């Protein structure tokens, strides 16, 4: 359990729900209301988007903020990928801008269609992209050249994650499959992901398994080497558009949206090692996003316009 | 003087830019070329798949049930390729919301799998789909598959949708990627039994 809290006063707010403990981690200030936020891989930064494309990047846990600009169009949650090496922002115009860790623009890539998914390799050497029309594509960031394009039976890739130092790229495809590729684009496997479209996936810390969720509302655990489904939860009753596996253990949290308004409907919590799918007793309407650092799952919530809380789930 | 397409083809043959196979006369070749060009069709514009595709939809042409709310809708069309060839046997998967804008995620209401018949024809009975907050335009999803052809993922929109203010060409919406996908709606029958009709041709690209 995390012991170093940035704001000791929050200890009184610590709450235990469904066996999970939600604890304060950092407080952030924004100029106004955010649409959503993404915790960068590694948990050292949070990226928040307001309006169409007003992007702020906060350092954790200090809360220091800087503005990142230069991208036109509308940025959605699918259009942000970041880790310790850099930040990629993609919009509905198909433009993807890549920044280094210091926030300096390094490259632009023009895709044909609205960005549907982005993922950085851990070393920042390549970027994986997909649009609402295309399967996964891998771009070498030194040259800016397209390395290879994956394939689907039909439709696009909706979720991408990269593991094993860039040697395994796992994707969730709209044709209801998950696929694994090696660094050079060789298809390693295609596996069933359910009856409905999967939207997102998340790798375990050791890269041996990944969790997938989507329109079905269930979370499935797959073997990352073969794609084989190992376990599956019951359905939450709502589509799941984003999820994150804990850096330690096998816990998964997932963001549910109602299928009509696409408003936040709940935050599901699942432990594949025997646990049932539960609902985290946190007001989903305040949730901006989530992710993880090296120790915990992290929730980013908007207490009020411009007032952001980052909390750990343990 | 501007050359006609026919004259240009004859000139190409005369100059050797176009060479003819054994037994093919210039006249036959030019006529066949022009006929093929006339039959060619533009591929149907693609659209996004998601987010609620579900595989395994039942084989039925009647999606609406007795008593379902909403304006009855009949859609008909045919599946072709860009050479203008009909594609009988093409598989057409369709899915849409009910008239209130809700997708069925747990079952298969307003979802169907059709097989194009002779001459590539298909039709189905449904209702005009409703609006829902995440999408501005009423729409029906289509996924079309046929051997030797690139799967076609597209959507059909409705000229009667208020978002187009009566003129989709003048009032396009970003939610609909191409005005070619907006179909005119014909209202038929008596006020008590009124229904809407639309046609939607599906043109696939060859592999």
């Amino acid at each position: 359990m995390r012991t170093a809290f940035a704001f000791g006063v929050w200890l009184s707010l610590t709450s235990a729900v469904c066996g999970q403990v939600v604890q304060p981690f950092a407080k952030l200030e924004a100029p106004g209301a955010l649409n959503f936020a993404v915790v960068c891989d590694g948990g050292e930064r949070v990226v928040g988007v307001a309006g169409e494309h007003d992007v702020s990047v906060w350092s954790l846990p200090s809360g220091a903020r800087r503005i990142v600009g230069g991208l036109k169009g509308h940025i959605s949650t699918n259009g942000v990928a970041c880790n310790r090496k850099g930040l990629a922002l993609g919009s509905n115009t198909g433009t993807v801008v890549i920044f280094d860790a210091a926030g300096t623009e390094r490259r632009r890539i023009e895709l044909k269609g609205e960005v549907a998914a982005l993922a950085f390799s851990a070393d920042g050497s390549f970027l994986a992209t997909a649009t609402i029309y295309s399967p996964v594509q891998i771009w070498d960031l030194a040259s800016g050249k397209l390395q290879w394009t994956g394939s689907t039976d039909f439709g696009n890739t909706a979720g991408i994650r990269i593991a094993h130092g860039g040697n395994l790229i796992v994707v969730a495809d709209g044709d209801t499959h998950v696929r694994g590729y090696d660094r050079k684009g060789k298809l390693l496997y295609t596996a069933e992901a359910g009856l409905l479209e999967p939207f997102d996936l998340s790798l375990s810390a050791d890269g041996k398994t990944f969790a997938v969720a989507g329109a079905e509302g269930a979370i499935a655990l797959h073997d990352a080497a073969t794609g084989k489904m190992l376990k599956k939860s019951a359905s939450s009753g709502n589509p799941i558009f984003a999820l994150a596996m804990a850096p330690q253990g096998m816990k998964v949290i997932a963001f549910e949206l109602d299928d009509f308004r696409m408003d936040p409907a709940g935050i599901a919590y699942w432990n594949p090692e025997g646990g049932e799918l539960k609902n985290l007793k946190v007001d989903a309407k305040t949730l901006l996003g989530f992710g993880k650092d090296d120790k915990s799952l992290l929730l980013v919530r908007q207490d009020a316009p411009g007032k952001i809380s980052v909390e750990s789930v343990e | 003087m501007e050359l006609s397409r026919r004259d240009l083809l004859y000139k190409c043959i005369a100059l050797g830019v176009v060479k003819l196979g054994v037994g093919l006369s210039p006249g036959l070749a030019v006529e066949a070329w022009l006929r093929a060009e006339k039959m060619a069709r533009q591929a149907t514009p693609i659209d996004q798949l998601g987010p609620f595709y579900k595989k395994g939809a039942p084989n039925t042409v009647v999606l609406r049930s007795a008593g379902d709310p909403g304006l009855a809708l009949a859609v008909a069309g045919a599946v072709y390729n860009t050479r203008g060839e009909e594609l009988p046997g093409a598989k057409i998967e369709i899915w849409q919301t009910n008239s209130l804008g809700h997708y069925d995620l747990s079952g298969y209401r307003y979802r169907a799998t059709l097989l194009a018949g002779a001459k590539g024809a298909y039709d189905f009975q449904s209702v005009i789909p409703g609006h829902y907050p995440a999408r501005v335009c009423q729409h029906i999803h289509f996924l079309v598959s046929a051997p030797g052809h690139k799967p076609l993922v597209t959507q059909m929109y409705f000229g009667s949708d208020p978002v187009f203010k009566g003129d989709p060409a003048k009032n396009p919406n970003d939610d609909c990627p191409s005005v070619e996908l907006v179909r005119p709606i014909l209202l038929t029958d008596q006020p008590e039994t009124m229904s809407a009709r639309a046609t939607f041709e599906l043109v696939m690209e060859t592999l």
Side-chain angles (χ1 to χ4, degrees), chain A residues 44-76:
Chain A
E44 292 169 1
R45 291 180 296 161
V46 170
V47 177
V49 177
E52 288 288 291
H53 48 245
D54 297 330
V55 181
S56 295
V57 180
W58 290 266
S59 298
L60 293 180
S62 71
R65 181 176 78 95
R66 70 163 183 269
I67 296 167
V68 174
L71 182 62
K72 304 292 183 196
H74 176 77
I75 303 174
S76 73

PDB file of all heavy atoms in Angstrom, chain A residues 44-76:
ATOM      1  N   GLU A  44       3.918   9.500 -13.868  1.00  0.00           N
ATOM      2  CA  GLU A  44       4.620  10.729 -13.476  1.00  0.00           C
ATOM      3  C   GLU A  44       3.928  11.990 -13.968  1.00  0.00           C
ATOM      4  O   GLU A  44       4.259  13.090 -13.524  1.00  0.00           O
ATOM      5  CB  GLU A  44       6.057  10.693 -14.012  1.00  0.00           C
ATOM      6  CG  GLU A  44       6.893   9.635 -13.322  1.00  0.00           C
ATOM      7  CD  GLU A  44       8.222   9.402 -14.019  1.00  0.00           C
ATOM      8  OE1 GLU A  44       8.498  10.075 -15.037  1.00  0.00           O
ATOM      9  OE2 GLU A  44       8.987   8.543 -13.544  1.00  0.00           O
ATOM     10  N   ARG A  45       2.999  11.828 -14.903  1.00  0.00           N
ATOM     11  CA  ARG A  45       2.318  12.992 -15.453  1.00  0.00           C
ATOM     12  C   ARG A  45       0.843  12.675 -15.714  1.00  0.00           C
ATOM     13  O   ARG A  45       0.471  11.508 -15.937  1.00  0.00           O
ATOM     14  CB  ARG A  45       2.972  13.426 -16.769  1.00  0.00           C
ATOM     15  CG  ARG A  45       4.369  14.002 -16.582  1.00  0.00           C
ATOM     16  CD  ARG A  45       4.971  14.405 -17.907  1.00  0.00           C
ATOM     17  NE  ARG A  45       5.171  13.245 -18.767  1.00  0.00           N
ATOM     18  CZ  ARG A  45       5.334  13.312 -20.080  1.00  0.00           C
ATOM     19  NH1 ARG A  45       5.293  14.477 -20.690  1.00  0.00           N
ATOM     20  NH2 ARG A  45       5.529  12.225 -20.783  1.00  0.00           N
ATOM     21  N   VAL A  46       0.050  13.735 -15.706  1.00  0.00           N
ATOM     22  CA  VAL A  46      -1.354  13.640 -16.105  1.00  0.00           C
ATOM     23  C   VAL A  46      -1.566  14.633 -17.244  1.00  0.00           C
ATOM     24  O   VAL A  46      -1.102  15.775 -17.169  1.00  0.00           O
ATOM     25  CB  VAL A  46      -2.295  13.982 -14.930  1.00  0.00           C
ATOM     26  CG1 VAL A  46      -3.732  14.130 -15.402  1.00  0.00           C
ATOM     27  CG2 VAL A  46      -2.208  12.913 -13.847  1.00  0.00           C
ATOM     28  N   VAL A  47      -2.242  14.168 -18.291  1.00  0.00           N
ATOM     29  CA  VAL A  47      -2.585  15.054 -19.408  1.00  0.00           C
ATOM     30  C   VAL A  47      -4.082  15.315 -19.345  1.00  0.00           C
ATOM     31  O   VAL A  47      -4.878  14.374 -19.254  1.00  0.00           O
ATOM     32  CB  VAL A  47      -2.225  14.398 -20.761  1.00  0.00           C
ATOM     33  CG1 VAL A  47      -2.657  15.293 -21.924  1.00  0.00           C
ATOM     34  CG2 VAL A  47      -0.737  14.108 -20.838  1.00  0.00           C
ATOM     35  N   GLY A  48      -4.467  16.571 -19.375  1.00  0.00           N
ATOM     36  CA  GLY A  48      -5.879  16.936 -19.344  1.00  0.00           C
ATOM     37  C   GLY A  48      -6.247  17.761 -20.553  1.00  0.00           C
ATOM     38  O   GLY A  48      -5.446  18.560 -21.033  1.00  0.00           O
ATOM     39  N   VAL A  49      -7.463  17.548 -21.067  1.00  0.00           N
ATOM     40  CA  VAL A  49      -7.916  18.283 -22.247  1.00  0.00           C
ATOM     41  C   VAL A  49      -9.202  19.033 -21.902  1.00  0.00           C
ATOM     42  O   VAL A  49     -10.142  18.461 -21.371  1.00  0.00           O
ATOM     43  CB  VAL A  49      -8.147  17.337 -23.444  1.00  0.00           C
ATOM     44  CG1 VAL A  49      -8.699  18.115 -24.638  1.00  0.00           C
ATOM     45  CG2 VAL A  49      -6.847  16.642 -23.824  1.00  0.00           C
ATOM     46  N   ALA A  50      -9.203  20.326 -22.215  1.00  0.00           N
ATOM     47  CA  ALA A  50     -10.393  21.163 -22.057  1.00  0.00           C
ATOM     48  C   ALA A  50     -10.778  21.703 -23.433  1.00  0.00           C
ATOM     49  O   ALA A  50      -9.933  21.793 -24.330  1.00  0.00           O
ATOM     50  CB  ALA A  50     -10.094  22.313 -21.108  1.00  0.00           C
ATOM     51  N   GLY A  51     -12.047  22.023 -23.594  1.00  0.00           N
ATOM     52  CA  GLY A  51     -12.493  22.548 -24.886  1.00  0.00           C
ATOM     53  C   GLY A  51     -12.206  21.559 -25.995  1.00  0.00           C
ATOM     54  O   GLY A  51     -12.239  20.346 -25.804  1.00  0.00           O
ATOM     55  N   GLU A  52     -11.900  22.084 -27.179  1.00  0.00           N
ATOM     56  CA  GLU A  52     -11.618  21.210 -28.317  1.00  0.00           C
ATOM     57  C   GLU A  52     -10.216  20.606 -28.231  1.00  0.00           C
ATOM     58  O   GLU A  52     -10.025  19.425 -28.471  1.00  0.00           O
ATOM     59  CB  GLU A  52     -11.740  22.005 -29.624  1.00  0.00           C
ATOM     60  CG  GLU A  52     -13.149  22.365 -30.011  1.00  0.00           C
ATOM     61  CD  GLU A  52     -13.921  21.158 -30.495  1.00  0.00           C
ATOM     62  OE1 GLU A  52     -13.606  20.641 -31.562  1.00  0.00           O
ATOM     63  OE2 GLU A  52     -14.857  20.726 -29.787  1.00  0.00           O
ATOM     64  N   HIS A  53      -9.222  21.457 -27.902  1.00  0.00           N
ATOM     65  CA  HIS A  53      -7.835  20.980 -27.950  1.00  0.00           C
ATOM     66  C   HIS A  53      -6.917  21.758 -27.014  1.00  0.00           C
ATOM     67  O   HIS A  53      -5.748  21.985 -27.343  1.00  0.00           O
ATOM     68  CB  HIS A  53      -7.310  21.032 -29.393  1.00  0.00           C
ATOM     69  CG  HIS A  53      -7.585  22.342 -30.074  1.00  0.00           C
ATOM     70  ND1 HIS A  53      -8.412  22.450 -31.161  1.00  0.00           N
ATOM     71  CD2 HIS A  53      -7.172  23.586 -29.809  1.00  0.00           C
ATOM     72  CE1 HIS A  53      -8.487  23.710 -31.531  1.00  0.00           C
ATOM     73  NE2 HIS A  53      -7.731  24.414 -30.721  1.00  0.00           N
ATOM     74  N   ASP A  54      -7.445  22.221 -25.903  1.00  0.00           N
ATOM     75  CA  ASP A  54      -6.601  22.919 -24.916  1.00  0.00           C
ATOM     76  C   ASP A  54      -5.998  21.881 -23.973  1.00  0.00           C
ATOM     77  O   ASP A  54      -6.697  21.295 -23.151  1.00  0.00           O
ATOM     78  CB  ASP A  54      -7.427  23.933 -24.127  1.00  0.00           C
ATOM     79  CG  ASP A  54      -7.983  25.031 -25.033  1.00  0.00           C
ATOM     80  OD1 ASP A  54      -7.318  25.335 -26.049  1.00  0.00           O
ATOM     81  OD2 ASP A  54      -9.072  25.549 -24.750  1.00  0.00           O
ATOM     82  N   VAL A  55      -4.696  21.678 -24.104  1.00  0.00           N
ATOM     83  CA  VAL A  55      -4.043  20.564 -23.411  1.00  0.00           C
ATOM     84  C   VAL A  55      -3.124  21.079 -22.314  1.00  0.00           C
ATOM     85  O   VAL A  55      -2.294  21.965 -22.548  1.00  0.00           O
ATOM     86  CB  VAL A  55      -3.216  19.715 -24.411  1.00  0.00           C
ATOM     87  CG1 VAL A  55      -2.554  18.546 -23.702  1.00  0.00           C
ATOM     88  CG2 VAL A  55      -4.107  19.218 -25.549  1.00  0.00           C
ATOM     89  N   SER A  56      -3.282  20.521 -21.120  1.00  0.00           N
ATOM     90  CA  SER A  56      -2.374  20.807 -20.007  1.00  0.00           C
ATOM     91  C   SER A  56      -1.700  19.512 -19.585  1.00  0.00           C
ATOM     92  O   SER A  56      -2.309  18.437 -19.668  1.00  0.00           O
ATOM     93  CB  SER A  56      -3.133  21.373 -18.804  1.00  0.00           C
ATOM     94  OG  SER A  56      -3.691  22.634 -19.105  1.00  0.00           O
ATOM     95  N   VAL A  57      -0.457  19.643 -19.148  1.00  0.00           N
ATOM     96  CA  VAL A  57       0.275  18.490 -18.624  1.00  0.00           C
ATOM     97  C   VAL A  57       0.735  18.819 -17.211  1.00  0.00           C
ATOM     98  O   VAL A  57       1.399  19.841 -17.003  1.00  0.00           O
ATOM     99  CB  VAL A  57       1.491  18.142 -19.505  1.00  0.00           C
ATOM    100  CG1 VAL A  57       2.238  16.940 -18.930  1.00  0.00           C
ATOM    101  CG2 VAL A  57       1.058  17.861 -20.944  1.00  0.00           C
ATOM    102  N   TRP A  58       0.363  17.983 -16.244  1.00  0.00           N
ATOM    103  CA  TRP A  58       0.769  18.175 -14.865  1.00  0.00           C
ATOM    104  C   TRP A  58       1.822  17.129 -14.482  1.00  0.00           C
ATOM    105  O   TRP A  58       1.713  15.957 -14.886  1.00  0.00           O
ATOM    106  CB  TRP A  58      -0.406  17.992 -13.905  1.00  0.00           C
ATOM    107  CG  TRP A  58      -1.445  19.066 -13.965  1.00  0.00           C
ATOM    108  CD1 TRP A  58      -1.528  20.185 -13.194  1.00  0.00           C
ATOM    109  CD2 TRP A  58      -2.591  19.112 -14.830  1.00  0.00           C
ATOM    110  NE1 TRP A  58      -2.645  20.924 -13.523  1.00  0.00           N
ATOM    111  CE2 TRP A  58      -3.312  20.291 -14.519  1.00  0.00           C
ATOM    112  CE3 TRP A  58      -3.072  18.274 -15.854  1.00  0.00           C
ATOM    113  CZ2 TRP A  58      -4.481  20.640 -15.181  1.00  0.00           C
ATOM    114  CZ3 TRP A  58      -4.232  18.630 -16.504  1.00  0.00           C
ATOM    115  CH2 TRP A  58      -4.925  19.805 -16.164  1.00  0.00           C
ATOM    116  N   SER A  59       2.792  17.537 -13.694  1.00  0.00           N
ATOM    117  CA  SER A  59       3.732  16.585 -13.104  1.00  0.00           C
ATOM    118  C   SER A  59       3.142  16.087 -11.792  1.00  0.00           C
ATOM    119  O   SER A  59       2.494  16.850 -11.071  1.00  0.00           O
ATOM    120  CB  SER A  59       5.077  17.263 -12.826  1.00  0.00           C
ATOM    121  OG  SER A  59       5.651  17.710 -14.033  1.00  0.00           O
ATOM    122  N   LEU A  60       3.359  14.820 -11.491  1.00  0.00           N
ATOM    123  CA  LEU A  60       2.879  14.236 -10.234  1.00  0.00           C
ATOM    124  C   LEU A  60       4.079  13.903  -9.351  1.00  0.00           C
ATOM    125  O   LEU A  60       5.106  13.462  -9.854  1.00  0.00           O
ATOM    126  CB  LEU A  60       2.087  12.946 -10.501  1.00  0.00           C
ATOM    127  CG  LEU A  60       0.756  13.089 -11.228  1.00  0.00           C
ATOM    128  CD1 LEU A  60       0.114  11.718 -11.396  1.00  0.00           C
ATOM    129  CD2 LEU A  60      -0.182  14.027 -10.495  1.00  0.00           C
ATOM    130  N   PRO A  61       3.979  14.085  -8.040  1.00  0.00           N
ATOM    131  CA  PRO A  61       2.785  14.607  -7.354  1.00  0.00           C
ATOM    132  C   PRO A  61       2.805  16.107  -7.143  1.00  0.00           C
ATOM    133  O   PRO A  61       1.930  16.635  -6.478  1.00  0.00           O
ATOM    134  CB  PRO A  61       2.865  13.873  -6.016  1.00  0.00           C
ATOM    135  CG  PRO A  61       4.331  13.743  -5.748  1.00  0.00           C
ATOM    136  CD  PRO A  61       4.980  13.565  -7.093  1.00  0.00           C
ATOM    137  N   SER A  62       3.768  16.836  -7.765  1.00  0.00           N
ATOM    138  CA  SER A  62       3.903  18.264  -7.446  1.00  0.00           C
ATOM    139  C   SER A  62       2.702  19.079  -7.921  1.00  0.00           C
ATOM    140  O   SER A  62       2.351  20.087  -7.328  1.00  0.00           O
ATOM    141  CB  SER A  62       5.186  18.802  -8.087  1.00  0.00           C
ATOM    142  OG  SER A  62       5.038  18.873  -9.489  1.00  0.00           O
ATOM    143  N   GLY A  63       2.106  18.663  -9.032  1.00  0.00           N
ATOM    144  CA  GLY A  63       0.979  19.421  -9.570  1.00  0.00           C
ATOM    145  C   GLY A  63       1.410  20.559 -10.475  1.00  0.00           C
ATOM    146  O   GLY A  63       0.571  21.338 -10.942  1.00  0.00           O
ATOM    147  N   ALA A  64       2.706  20.683 -10.762  1.00  0.00           N
ATOM    148  CA  ALA A  64       3.170  21.735 -11.681  1.00  0.00           C
ATOM    149  C   ALA A  64       2.547  21.517 -13.054  1.00  0.00           C
ATOM    150  O   ALA A  64       2.516  20.398 -13.552  1.00  0.00           O
ATOM    151  CB  ALA A  64       4.691  21.705 -11.778  1.00  0.00           C
ATOM    152  N   ARG A  65       2.066  22.614 -13.673  1.00  0.00           N
ATOM    153  CA  ARG A  65       1.333  22.489 -14.938  1.00  0.00           C
ATOM    154  C   ARG A  65       2.028  23.255 -16.051  1.00  0.00           C
ATOM    155  O   ARG A  65       2.560  24.341 -15.826  1.00  0.00           O
ATOM    156  CB  ARG A  65      -0.078  23.045 -14.769  1.00  0.00           C
ATOM    157  CG  ARG A  65      -0.956  22.942 -16.008  1.00  0.00           C
ATOM    158  CD  ARG A  65      -2.357  23.431 -15.721  1.00  0.00           C
ATOM    159  NE  ARG A  65      -2.438  24.878 -15.699  1.00  0.00           N
ATOM    160  CZ  ARG A  65      -2.802  25.635 -16.746  1.00  0.00           C
ATOM    161  NH1 ARG A  65      -3.129  25.049 -17.895  1.00  0.00           N
ATOM    162  NH2 ARG A  65      -2.864  26.939 -16.636  1.00  0.00           N
ATOM    163  N   ARG A  66       2.010  22.679 -17.246  1.00  0.00           N
ATOM    164  CA  ARG A  66       2.434  23.433 -18.413  1.00  0.00           C
ATOM    165  C   ARG A  66       1.425  23.182 -19.532  1.00  0.00           C
ATOM    166  O   ARG A  66       0.705  22.171 -19.542  1.00  0.00           O
ATOM    167  CB  ARG A  66       3.851  23.057 -18.846  1.00  0.00           C
ATOM    168  CG  ARG A  66       4.012  21.695 -19.430  1.00  0.00           C
ATOM    169  CD  ARG A  66       5.331  21.591 -20.196  1.00  0.00           C
ATOM    170  NE  ARG A  66       5.430  20.285 -20.819  1.00  0.00           N
ATOM    171  CZ  ARG A  66       5.986  19.231 -20.251  1.00  0.00           C
ATOM    172  NH1 ARG A  66       6.504  19.324 -19.046  1.00  0.00           N
ATOM    173  NH2 ARG A  66       6.038  18.086 -20.892  1.00  0.00           N
ATOM    174  N   ILE A  67       1.396  24.122 -20.463  1.00  0.00           N
ATOM    175  CA  ILE A  67       0.424  24.046 -21.558  1.00  0.00           C
ATOM    176  C   ILE A  67       1.116  23.477 -22.787  1.00  0.00           C
ATOM    177  O   ILE A  67       2.256  23.841 -23.087  1.00  0.00           O
ATOM    178  CB  ILE A  67      -0.154  25.445 -21.855  1.00  0.00           C
ATOM    179  CG1 ILE A  67      -0.939  25.939 -20.631  1.00  0.00           C
ATOM    180  CG2 ILE A  67      -1.037  25.432 -23.091  1.00  0.00           C
ATOM    181  CD1 ILE A  67      -1.286  27.402 -20.685  1.00  0.00           C
ATOM    182  N   VAL A  68       0.439  22.582 -23.472  1.00  0.00           N
ATOM    183  CA  VAL A  68       0.974  22.024 -24.713  1.00  0.00           C
ATOM    184  C   VAL A  68       0.020  22.408 -25.826  1.00  0.00           C
ATOM    185  O   VAL A  68      -1.184  22.140 -25.745  1.00  0.00           O
ATOM    186  CB  VAL A  68       1.098  20.489 -24.618  1.00  0.00           C
ATOM    187  CG1 VAL A  68       1.522  19.909 -25.961  1.00  0.00           C
ATOM    188  CG2 VAL A  68       2.092  20.108 -23.532  1.00  0.00           C
ATOM    189  N   GLY A  69       0.524  23.050 -26.847  1.00  0.00           N
ATOM    190  CA  GLY A  69      -0.350  23.521 -27.916  1.00  0.00           C
ATOM    191  C   GLY A  69       0.099  23.042 -29.275  1.00  0.00           C
ATOM    192  O   GLY A  69       1.074  22.309 -29.402  1.00  0.00           O
ATOM    193  N   GLY A  70      -0.637  23.467 -30.271  1.00  0.00           N
ATOM    194  CA  GLY A  70      -0.208  23.203 -31.639  1.00  0.00           C
ATOM    195  C   GLY A  70      -1.048  22.231 -32.413  1.00  0.00           C
ATOM    196  O   GLY A  70      -0.765  21.959 -33.576  1.00  0.00           O
ATOM    197  N   LEU A  71      -2.107  21.695 -31.802  1.00  0.00           N
ATOM    198  CA  LEU A  71      -2.932  20.736 -32.534  1.00  0.00           C
ATOM    199  C   LEU A  71      -4.322  21.321 -32.728  1.00  0.00           C
ATOM    200  O   LEU A  71      -4.940  21.804 -31.784  1.00  0.00           O
ATOM    201  CB  LEU A  71      -3.023  19.414 -31.760  1.00  0.00           C
ATOM    202  CG  LEU A  71      -3.821  18.303 -32.434  1.00  0.00           C
ATOM    203  CD1 LEU A  71      -3.200  17.913 -33.761  1.00  0.00           C
ATOM    204  CD2 LEU A  71      -3.918  17.085 -31.538  1.00  0.00           C
ATOM    205  N   LYS A  72      -4.818  21.267 -33.959  1.00  0.00           N
ATOM    206  CA  LYS A  72      -6.170  21.734 -34.270  1.00  0.00           C
ATOM    207  C   LYS A  72      -7.134  20.554 -34.222  1.00  0.00           C
ATOM    208  O   LYS A  72      -6.722  19.405 -34.222  1.00  0.00           O
ATOM    209  CB  LYS A  72      -6.202  22.376 -35.657  1.00  0.00           C
ATOM    210  CG  LYS A  72      -5.227  23.514 -35.838  1.00  0.00           C
ATOM    211  CD  LYS A  72      -5.608  24.713 -34.991  1.00  0.00           C
ATOM    212  CE  LYS A  72      -4.674  25.882 -35.233  1.00  0.00           C
ATOM    213  NZ  LYS A  72      -4.781  26.891 -34.175  1.00  0.00           N
ATOM    214  N   GLY A  73      -8.405  20.867 -34.242  1.00  0.00           N
ATOM    215  CA  GLY A  73      -9.416  19.812 -34.261  1.00  0.00           C
ATOM    216  C   GLY A  73      -9.803  19.409 -32.852  1.00  0.00           C
ATOM    217  O   GLY A  73      -9.368  20.010 -31.864  1.00  0.00           O
ATOM    218  N   HIS A  74     -10.603  18.378 -32.774  1.00  0.00           N
ATOM    219  CA  HIS A  74     -11.122  17.905 -31.486  1.00  0.00           C
ATOM    220  C   HIS A  74     -10.297  16.714 -31.002  1.00  0.00           C
ATOM    221  O   HIS A  74     -10.109  15.745 -31.737  1.00  0.00           O
ATOM    222  CB  HIS A  74     -12.588  17.498 -31.652  1.00  0.00           C
ATOM    223  CG  HIS A  74     -13.181  16.905 -30.421  1.00  0.00           C
ATOM    224  ND1 HIS A  74     -13.563  17.663 -29.346  1.00  0.00           N
ATOM    225  CD2 HIS A  74     -13.429  15.612 -30.082  1.00  0.00           C
ATOM    226  CE1 HIS A  74     -14.040  16.867 -28.398  1.00  0.00           C
ATOM    227  NE2 HIS A  74     -13.970  15.621 -28.826  1.00  0.00           N
ATOM    228  N   ILE A  75      -9.828  16.796 -29.766  1.00  0.00           N
ATOM    229  CA  ILE A  75      -9.055  15.687 -29.189  1.00  0.00           C
ATOM    230  C   ILE A  75      -9.973  14.905 -28.263  1.00  0.00           C
ATOM    231  O   ILE A  75     -10.580  15.466 -27.355  1.00  0.00           O
ATOM    232  CB  ILE A  75      -7.845  16.208 -28.391  1.00  0.00           C
ATOM    233  CG1 ILE A  75      -6.955  17.071 -29.287  1.00  0.00           C
ATOM    234  CG2 ILE A  75      -7.041  15.042 -27.820  1.00  0.00           C
ATOM    235  CD1 ILE A  75      -5.807  17.743 -28.528  1.00  0.00           C
ATOM    236  N   SER A  76     -10.072  13.614 -28.507  1.00  0.00           N
ATOM    237  CA  SER A  76     -10.876  12.750 -27.633  1.00  0.00           C
ATOM    238  C   SER A  76      -9.939  11.912 -26.767  1.00  0.00           C
ATOM    239  O   SER A  76      -8.715  11.952 -26.935  1.00  0.00           O
ATOM    240  CB  SER A  76     -11.769  11.830 -28.469  1.00  0.00           C
ATOM    241  OG  SER A  76     -10.979  10.830 -29.075  1.00  0.00           O
TER     242      SER A  76
END
